[in-house]
Amino acid sequence: MSDHKATIIDGKAIAQTIRSEIADDVRRLSETYGKVPGLAVVIVGQRKDSQSYVNMKRKACAEVGINSIDLDLPEEVSESELICKVHELNVNPDVHGILVQLPLPKHINEEKVLTEISLEKEQIKKGNTMKMPRLLKLCSKKEMRNFENY
């Protein structure tokens, strides 16, 4: 038998530390480049669980200073209209990551929509909040390239 004991961690305190670090990074980006990361949040329809999740993401962005670009579309939106909106987000220089809330309505092919997200944008997947530091890096690298081109 070993004498290993479980370590109890304070998840709320750890989460607050991570949020504080991200907020500091966002503040530095803003001071250095005059820009902050932008996360486009796309939701189709009025599913209560999806609305709740998306609202949490929007609140988290606001807490750390990330710009949340909200795109709420009706359940009846066509697949082609949704893809067109994704293309618009792809070329928007203020968008560094795109979250398309799943599931999408049955008449829309989720995989087809997700593959339309540009490789230059970070595809934020449900439950993967660890992508935020990468989102910050993408914003920083892009702004550095833009700054160097002036």
Side-chain angles (χ1 to χ4, degrees):
M1 273 255 187
S2 94
D3 289 333
H4 294 287
K5 291 187 176 187
T7 302
I8 298 175
I9 62 170
D10 184 345
K12 287 184 180 184
I14 292 170
Q16 183 55 49
T17 299
I18 292 170
R19 280 193 299 272
S20 294
E21 290 172 357
I22 291 173
D24 289 343
D25 289 344
V26 170
R27 197 170 15 266
R28 276 194 292 283
L29 280 170
S30 178
E31 291 168 0
T32 304
Y33 302 108
K35 290 274 245 182
V36 298
L39 176 64
V41 181
V42 181
I43 187 164
V44 179
Q46 297 293 319
R47 286 178 52 122
K48 295 280 186 211
D49 57 340
S50 293
Q51 289 288 335
S52 177
Y53 179 79
V54 164
N55 287 336
M56 287 188 309
K57 291 300 157 207
R58 290 171 175 165
K59 182 180 175 192
C61 284
E63 286 177 9
V64 298
I66 292 175
N67 186 25
S68 178
I69 297 98
D70 303 334
L71 187 57
D72 294 42
L73 299 171
E75 179 95 17
E76 312 76 48
V77 71
S78 71
E79 181 177 280
S80 62
E81 288 174 294
L82 177 56
I83 288 172
C84 183
K85 295 293 185 185
V86 168
H87 290 171
E88 290 172 14
L89 295 171
N90 282 339
V91 297
N92 183 334
D94 295 327
V95 173
H96 301 91
I98 300 173
L99 183 151
V100 175
Q101 178 62 33
L102 302 178
L104 292 171
K106 300 235 181 274
H107 67 278
I108 297 175
N109 181 327
E110 291 177 354
E111 191 62 31
K112 188 172 181 182
V113 171
L114 295 177
T115 59
E116 293 296 322
I117 297 174
S118 168
L119 294 176
E120 289 185 1
K121 307 291 179 176
E122 182 66 35
Q123 186 181 124
I124 308 298
K125 294 184 181 173
K126 185 174 180 178
N128 193 351
T129 55
M130 297 309 291
K131 294 274 186 158
M132 283 301 172
R134 177 151 161 66
L135 184 66
L136 293 169
K137 288 178 188 163
L138 284 172
C139 177
S140 178
K141 286 179 185 174
K142 187 171 186 176
E143 296 314 318
M144 287 173 63
R145 281 195 306 269
N146 289 344
F147 182 74
E148 290 168 357
N149 289 334
Y150 286 116

